[in-house]
Amino acid sequence: MKEVLVLRELEQIKAISHPYRIEILEAFEDSSATAKQIADKMGEPHAKVNYHIKILLKVGILELIEEKIKLGIVEKYYMPAAKTFVIDKSILDSGEKKVLDSVNQAKISIFKNISKDFYKAVEVADEKNYPKKILHFNDYYLTLDEIDKLQDKMAALIEEFLKGKKDKNRENTKRYSISTLMIPRFNLKRKDNKF
């Protein structure tokens, strides 16, 4: 498995822009699995998961790792092609509507999955076992360049801190999703949606 896979084709971006496929990718948890194993883990129908796995396989987001014959049935083991997927900047800079629509859909899909985890965490949260850790800074006025610089600094700091922390067998750990959001504030009372 590669550390990073740069997505350079529209079909790849479309494939990961579906929220269900993002859930499938997350279900692998750094180990290979069959479509049946992923379906069982997700509590979803095997046929549905298998359909989406084939789409991810076709565009190179998933890889076929091995095939085993068990009781006359071929079991196919898959693995994500990389730990992280990044969209090529030149595609983003193209300004092509189909590309931008797919990228926006991918962002929405990622946010939906984060939101789902957030709401589940709020339901079960207690400070001893599952503390809620939210930092919120509101109503700052920044340029797009300042937002880019802030995001780069935060990404570098978070990546540095998280090095070596992918091992799920480390003692006294729980699985967390680490996210940062920088979103413009809209004044809902104004019809022109100015910030």
Coordinates of all heavy atoms in Angstrom, one line a residue, residues 38-93:
I38 N -16.1 -7.1 4.5 CA -16.4 -5.6 4.6 C -18.0 -5.5 4.8 O -18.4 -4.7 5.6 CB -15.9 -4.9 3.4 CG1 -14.4 -4.9 3.3 CG2 -16.5 -3.4 3.4 CD1 -13.7 -4.2 4.5
A39 N -18.7 -6.2 4.1 CA -20.2 -6.2 4.2 C -20.6 -6.5 5.6 O -21.5 -5.9 6.2 CB -20.9 -7.1 3.2
D40 N -20.1 -7.6 6.2 CA -20.4 -8.0 7.5 C -20.0 -6.9 8.5 O -20.8 -6.6 9.5 CB -19.7 -9.3 7.9 CG -20.2 -10.5 7.1 OD1 -21.3 -10.4 6.5 OD2 -19.6 -11.6 7.1
K41 N -18.8 -6.4 8.3 CA -18.4 -5.3 9.2 C -19.3 -4.1 9.2 O -19.5 -3.5 10.2 CB -16.9 -4.9 8.8 CG -16.2 -4.0 9.8 CD -14.8 -3.8 9.2 CE -13.9 -3.7 10.4 NZ -12.5 -3.5 9.9
M42 N -19.8 -3.7 8.0 CA -20.6 -2.6 7.9 C -22.1 -2.9 8.2 O -22.9 -2.0 8.3 CB -20.5 -2.0 6.4 CG -19.2 -1.5 6.1 SD -19.0 -1.0 4.3 CE -20.3 0.3 4.2
G43 N -22.4 -4.2 8.2 CA -23.8 -4.6 8.4 C -24.7 -4.3 7.2 O -25.8 -3.9 7.3
E44 N -24.1 -4.4 6.0 CA -24.7 -4.1 4.7 C -24.8 -5.4 3.9 O -24.0 -6.3 4.1 CB -23.9 -3.0 4.0 CG -23.9 -1.7 4.7 CD -25.2 -1.0 4.5 OE1 -25.9 -1.2 3.5 OE2 -25.5 -0.1 5.4
P45 N -25.7 -5.4 2.9 CA -25.8 -6.5 2.0 C -24.5 -6.7 1.2 O -23.9 -5.8 0.7 CB -26.9 -6.2 1.0 CG -27.7 -5.0 1.7 CD -26.7 -4.3 2.6
H46 N -24.1 -8.0 1.0 CA -22.8 -8.3 0.3 C -22.9 -7.8 -1.1 O -21.9 -7.3 -1.6 CB -22.6 -9.8 0.4 CG -21.5 -10.3 -0.5 ND1 -21.7 -11.0 -1.6 CD2 -20.2 -10.1 -0.3 CE1 -20.5 -11.3 -2.2 NE2 -19.6 -10.8 -1.4
A47 N -24.0 -8.0 -1.8 CA -24.1 -7.6 -3.2 C -23.9 -6.1 -3.4 O -23.2 -5.7 -4.3 CB -25.5 -8.0 -3.8
K48 N -24.4 -5.3 -2.5 CA -24.3 -3.8 -2.5 C -22.8 -3.4 -2.4 O -22.2 -2.6 -3.1 CB -25.1 -3.2 -1.5 CG -25.1 -1.7 -1.5 CD -26.1 -1.1 -0.4 CE -26.0 0.4 -0.4 NZ -26.9 1.0 0.6
V49 N -22.2 -4.0 -1.3 CA -20.7 -3.7 -1.1 C -19.9 -4.2 -2.2 O -19.0 -3.4 -2.7 CB -20.3 -4.3 0.3 CG1 -18.8 -4.2 0.4 CG2 -21.0 -3.7 1.4
N50 N -20.1 -5.4 -2.8 CA -19.4 -5.9 -3.9 C -19.5 -5.0 -5.1 O -18.5 -4.8 -5.8 CB -19.9 -7.3 -4.2 CG -18.9 -8.1 -5.0 OD1 -17.7 -8.1 -4.8 ND2 -19.4 -8.7 -6.1
Y51 N -20.7 -4.5 -5.4 CA -20.9 -3.6 -6.5 C -19.9 -2.4 -6.4 O -19.3 -2.0 -7.4 CB -22.3 -3.2 -6.6 CG -22.6 -2.0 -7.5 CD1 -22.7 -2.3 -8.9 CD2 -22.7 -0.7 -7.1 CE1 -23.0 -1.2 -9.8 CE2 -22.9 0.3 -7.9 CZ -23.1 0.1 -9.3 OH -23.3 1.1 -10.2
H52 N -19.9 -1.8 -5.2 CA -19.1 -0.6 -5.0 C -17.6 -0.9 -5.0 O -16.8 -0.1 -5.5 CB -19.5 0.2 -3.8 CG -20.9 0.8 -3.9 ND1 -21.0 2.0 -4.6 CD2 -22.1 0.5 -3.5 CE1 -22.3 2.4 -4.6 NE2 -23.0 1.4 -3.9
I53 N -17.3 -2.0 -4.5 CA -15.8 -2.5 -4.5 C -15.4 -2.6 -5.9 O -14.2 -2.2 -6.3 CB -15.7 -3.8 -3.7 CG1 -15.6 -3.4 -2.2 CG2 -14.4 -4.5 -4.1 CD1 -15.5 -4.6 -1.3
K54 N -16.2 -3.2 -6.8 CA -15.8 -3.3 -8.2 C -15.5 -2.0 -8.9 O -14.6 -1.8 -9.7 CB -16.9 -4.1 -9.0 CG -16.8 -5.6 -8.7 CD -17.9 -6.3 -9.5 CE -17.8 -7.8 -9.1 NZ -18.8 -8.6 -9.8
I55 N -16.3 -1.0 -8.5 CA -16.1 0.4 -9.1 C -14.8 1.0 -8.6 O -14.0 1.5 -9.4 CB -17.3 1.3 -8.7 CG1 -18.6 0.9 -9.5 CG2 -17.0 2.8 -9.0 CD1 -19.8 1.6 -9.0
L56 N -14.5 0.8 -7.3 CA -13.3 1.3 -6.7 C -12.1 0.6 -7.3 O -11.0 1.2 -7.5 CB -13.3 1.2 -5.2 CG -14.3 2.1 -4.5 CD1 -14.5 1.7 -3.0 CD2 -13.9 3.6 -4.6
L57 N -12.2 -0.7 -7.6 CA -11.2 -1.5 -8.2 C -10.9 -1.1 -9.6 O -9.7 -0.9 -10.0 CB -11.6 -3.0 -8.1 CG -10.6 -4.0 -8.6 CD1 -9.3 -4.1 -7.7 CD2 -11.2 -5.4 -8.7
K58 N -11.9 -0.9 -10.3 CA -11.8 -0.5 -11.8 C -11.0 0.8 -12.0 O -10.2 0.9 -12.9 CB -13.2 -0.3 -12.4 CG -13.2 0.0 -13.8 CD -14.6 0.2 -14.3 CE -14.6 0.6 -15.8 NZ -16.0 0.9 -16.3
V59 N -11.1 1.8 -11.0 CA -10.4 3.0 -11.2 C -9.1 3.1 -10.4 O -8.4 4.1 -10.4 CB -11.3 4.2 -10.8 CG1 -12.5 4.3 -11.8 CG2 -11.7 4.2 -9.4
G60 N -8.7 2.0 -9.8 CA -7.4 1.9 -9.1 C -7.4 2.5 -7.7 O -6.3 2.7 -7.1
I61 N -8.6 2.7 -7.1 CA -8.7 3.1 -5.7 C -8.4 1.9 -4.7 O -7.8 2.0 -3.7 CB -10.0 3.8 -5.4 CG1 -10.3 5.0 -6.3 CG2 -10.1 4.2 -3.9 CD1 -9.4 6.2 -6.1
L62 N -9.0 0.8 -5.2 CA -8.7 -0.5 -4.5 C -7.8 -1.4 -5.3 O -7.8 -1.2 -6.6 CB -10.0 -1.2 -4.2 CG -10.9 -0.8 -3.0 CD1 -12.2 -1.7 -2.9 CD2 -10.2 -0.8 -1.7
E63 N -7.1 -2.3 -4.7 CA -6.3 -3.2 -5.4 C -6.7 -4.7 -5.0 O -7.0 -4.9 -3.8 CB -4.8 -3.0 -5.1 CG -4.3 -1.7 -5.6 CD -2.8 -1.5 -5.2 OE1 -2.3 -2.1 -4.2 OE2 -2.1 -0.7 -5.9
L64 N -6.6 -5.6 -5.9 CA -6.8 -7.0 -5.6 C -5.5 -7.5 -5.1 O -4.5 -7.5 -5.8 CB -7.3 -7.8 -6.9 CG -7.4 -9.3 -6.7 CD1 -8.6 -9.6 -5.7 CD2 -7.8 -9.9 -8.1
I65 N -5.5 -8.0 -3.8 CA -4.2 -8.4 -3.2 C -3.9 -9.9 -3.4 O -2.8 -10.3 -3.8 CB -4.3 -8.1 -1.7 CG1 -4.5 -6.6 -1.4 CG2 -3.0 -8.6 -1.0 CD1 -3.4 -5.7 -2.0
E66 N -5.0 -10.7 -3.2 CA -4.8 -12.1 -3.4 C -6.1 -12.8 -3.6 O -7.2 -12.3 -3.3 CB -4.0 -12.8 -2.3 CG -4.8 -12.8 -1.0 CD -4.0 -13.5 0.1 OE1 -3.5 -14.7 -0.1 OE2 -3.9 -12.9 1.2
E67 N -6.1 -14.0 -4.2 CA -7.3 -14.8 -4.4 C -7.0 -16.2 -3.7 O -5.9 -16.8 -3.9 CB -7.6 -15.0 -5.9 CG -8.0 -13.8 -6.6 CD -8.3 -14.0 -8.1 OE1 -7.9 -15.1 -8.6 OE2 -9.0 -13.2 -8.6
K68 N -8.0 -16.6 -2.9 CA -7.8 -17.9 -2.2 C -9.1 -18.7 -2.6 O -10.2 -18.2 -2.7 CB -7.8 -17.7 -0.7 CG -6.6 -17.0 -0.1 CD -6.7 -16.9 1.4 CE -5.6 -16.1 2.0 NZ -5.7 -15.9 3.4
I69 N -8.8 -20.0 -2.8 CA -9.9 -20.9 -3.0 C -10.3 -21.6 -1.7 O -9.4 -22.3 -1.1 CB -9.6 -21.9 -4.2 CG1 -9.3 -21.2 -5.5 CG2 -10.7 -22.9 -4.3 CD1 -8.8 -22.0 -6.6
K70 N -11.5 -21.4 -1.3 CA -12.0 -22.0 -0.1 C -13.3 -22.7 -0.4 O -14.3 -22.1 -0.8 CB -12.2 -20.9 1.0 CG -12.4 -21.4 2.4 CD -12.4 -20.2 3.3 CE -12.6 -20.6 4.7 NZ -12.7 -19.5 5.6
L71 N -13.3 -24.1 -0.2 CA -14.5 -24.9 -0.5 C -15.0 -24.7 -1.9 O -16.2 -24.6 -2.1 CB -15.6 -24.7 0.6 CG -15.2 -24.9 2.0 CD1 -16.3 -24.4 3.0 CD2 -14.9 -26.4 2.3
G72 N -14.1 -24.5 -2.8 CA -14.5 -24.4 -4.2 C -14.9 -23.0 -4.6 O -15.3 -22.7 -5.7
I73 N -14.9 -22.0 -3.6 CA -15.2 -20.6 -3.9 C -14.0 -19.8 -3.9 O -13.1 -19.9 -3.0 CB -16.2 -20.1 -2.8 CG1 -17.5 -21.0 -2.9 CG2 -16.6 -18.7 -3.0 CD1 -18.5 -20.7 -1.7
V74 N -13.9 -18.9 -4.9 CA -12.8 -18.0 -5.0 C -13.0 -16.8 -4.1 O -14.0 -16.0 -4.3 CB -12.5 -17.5 -6.4 CG1 -11.3 -16.5 -6.4 CG2 -12.2 -18.7 -7.3
E75 N -12.2 -16.6 -3.0 CA -12.3 -15.4 -2.2 C -11.3 -14.4 -2.6 O -10.1 -14.7 -2.7 CB -12.0 -15.8 -0.7 CG -13.1 -16.6 -0.1 CD -12.8 -16.9 1.4 OE1 -11.6 -16.9 1.8 OE2 -13.8 -17.1 2.1
K76 N -11.7 -13.2 -3.0 CA -10.8 -12.1 -3.4 C -10.6 -11.1 -2.3 O -11.6 -10.6 -1.7 CB -11.5 -11.4 -4.6 CG -11.6 -12.3 -5.8 CD -12.2 -11.5 -7.0 CE -12.3 -12.5 -8.2 NZ -12.8 -11.8 -9.4
Y77 N -9.3 -10.9 -2.0 CA -8.9 -10.0 -0.9 C -8.5 -8.7 -1.5 O -7.6 -8.6 -2.4 CB -7.8 -10.6 -0.1 CG -8.3 -11.7 0.8 CD1 -8.6 -13.0 0.4 CD2 -8.6 -11.4 2.2 CE1 -9.0 -14.0 1.2 CE2 -9.1 -12.4 3.0 CZ -9.3 -13.7 2.5 OH -9.8 -14.7 3.3
Y78 N -9.1 -7.6 -1.0 CA -8.8 -6.2 -1.5 C -8.1 -5.4 -0.5 O -8.2 -5.7 0.7 CB -10.1 -5.6 -2.0 CG -10.9 -6.3 -3.0 CD1 -11.9 -7.2 -2.6 CD2 -10.6 -6.2 -4.3 CE1 -12.7 -7.9 -3.5 CE2 -11.3 -7.0 -5.3 CZ -12.4 -7.8 -4.9 OH -13.1 -8.5 -5.8
M79 N -7.5 -4.3 -0.9 CA -6.9 -3.4 0.0 C -6.9 -2.0 -0.7 O -6.7 -1.9 -1.9 CB -5.5 -3.8 0.2 CG -4.7 -3.0 1.2 SD -5.1 -3.6 2.8 CE -3.9 -2.7 3.7
P80 N -7.1 -0.9 0.0 CA -7.0 0.4 -0.6 C -5.6 0.6 -1.2 O -4.6 0.1 -0.7 CB -7.2 1.4 0.6 CG -8.0 0.6 1.5 CD -7.6 -0.8 1.4
A81 N -5.5 1.2 -2.3 CA -4.3 1.4 -3.0 C -3.3 2.3 -2.3 O -2.1 2.3 -2.5 CB -4.5 2.0 -4.4
A82 N -3.8 3.1 -1.4 CA -3.0 4.1 -0.6 C -3.7 4.4 0.7 O -4.9 4.2 0.9 CB -2.7 5.3 -1.4
K83 N -2.9 4.9 1.7 CA -3.4 5.4 2.9 C -4.2 6.7 2.8 O -5.1 7.0 3.5 CB -2.3 5.5 4.0 CG -1.7 4.2 4.4 CD -0.6 4.5 5.4 CE 0.1 3.1 5.8 NZ 1.2 3.3 6.7
T84 N -3.7 7.5 1.9 CA -4.2 8.8 1.6 C -4.4 9.1 0.1 O -3.6 8.7 -0.7 CB -3.3 9.9 2.2 OG1 -3.0 9.7 3.6 CG2 -3.9 11.3 2.1
F85 N -5.6 9.7 -0.2 CA -5.8 10.0 -1.6 C -5.9 11.5 -1.7 O -6.5 12.2 -0.9 CB -7.2 9.4 -2.0 CG -7.2 7.9 -2.0 CD1 -7.7 7.3 -0.8 CD2 -6.7 7.2 -3.0 CE1 -7.7 5.9 -0.8 CE2 -6.7 5.8 -2.9 CZ -7.2 5.1 -1.8
V86 N -5.1 12.0 -2.7 CA -5.0 13.5 -2.9 C -5.4 13.8 -4.4 O -5.0 13.0 -5.3 CB -3.6 14.0 -2.7 CG1 -3.5 15.4 -2.9 CG2 -3.2 13.7 -1.2
I87 N -6.2 14.8 -4.6 CA -6.6 15.2 -6.0 C -5.5 16.1 -6.5 O -5.1 17.0 -5.9 CB -8.0 15.9 -6.0 CG1 -9.0 14.9 -5.5 CG2 -8.3 16.3 -7.4 CD1 -10.4 15.5 -5.2
D88 N -5.1 15.7 -7.7 CA -4.0 16.5 -8.4 C -4.4 17.9 -8.6 O -5.5 18.2 -9.1 CB -3.8 15.8 -9.8 CG -2.5 16.4 -10.5 OD1 -2.1 17.6 -10.2 OD2 -2.0 15.7 -11.4
K89 N -3.5 18.8 -8.2 CA -3.8 20.3 -8.3 C -4.1 20.8 -9.7 O -4.9 21.6 -9.9 CB -2.6 21.1 -7.7 CG -2.9 22.5 -7.4 CD -1.8 23.2 -6.7 CE -2.0 24.6 -6.4 NZ -3.0 25.4 -7.0
S90 N -3.5 20.2 -10.7 CA -3.7 20.6 -12.1 C -5.1 20.3 -12.5 O -5.7 21.1 -13.3 CB -2.7 19.9 -13.0 OG -2.9 18.5 -13.0
I91 N -5.7 19.3 -12.0 CA -7.1 19.0 -12.3 C -8.0 20.0 -11.6 O -9.0 20.5 -12.3 CB -7.5 17.6 -11.8 CG1 -6.9 16.5 -12.6 CG2 -9.0 17.4 -11.8 CD1 -7.2 15.1 -12.2
L92 N -7.7 20.4 -10.4 CA -8.5 21.4 -9.7 C -8.4 22.8 -10.4 O -9.3 23.5 -10.5 CB -8.0 21.6 -8.3 CG -8.2 20.3 -7.4 CD1 -7.6 20.5 -6.0 CD2 -9.7 20.0 -7.2
D93 N -7.2 23.1 -10.9 CA -6.9 24.3 -11.6 C -7.5 24.4 -13.0 O -7.6 25.5 -13.6 CB -5.4 24.6 -11.7 CG -4.8 24.9 -10.3 OD1 -5.6 25.2 -9.4 OD2 -3.6 24.7 -10.2

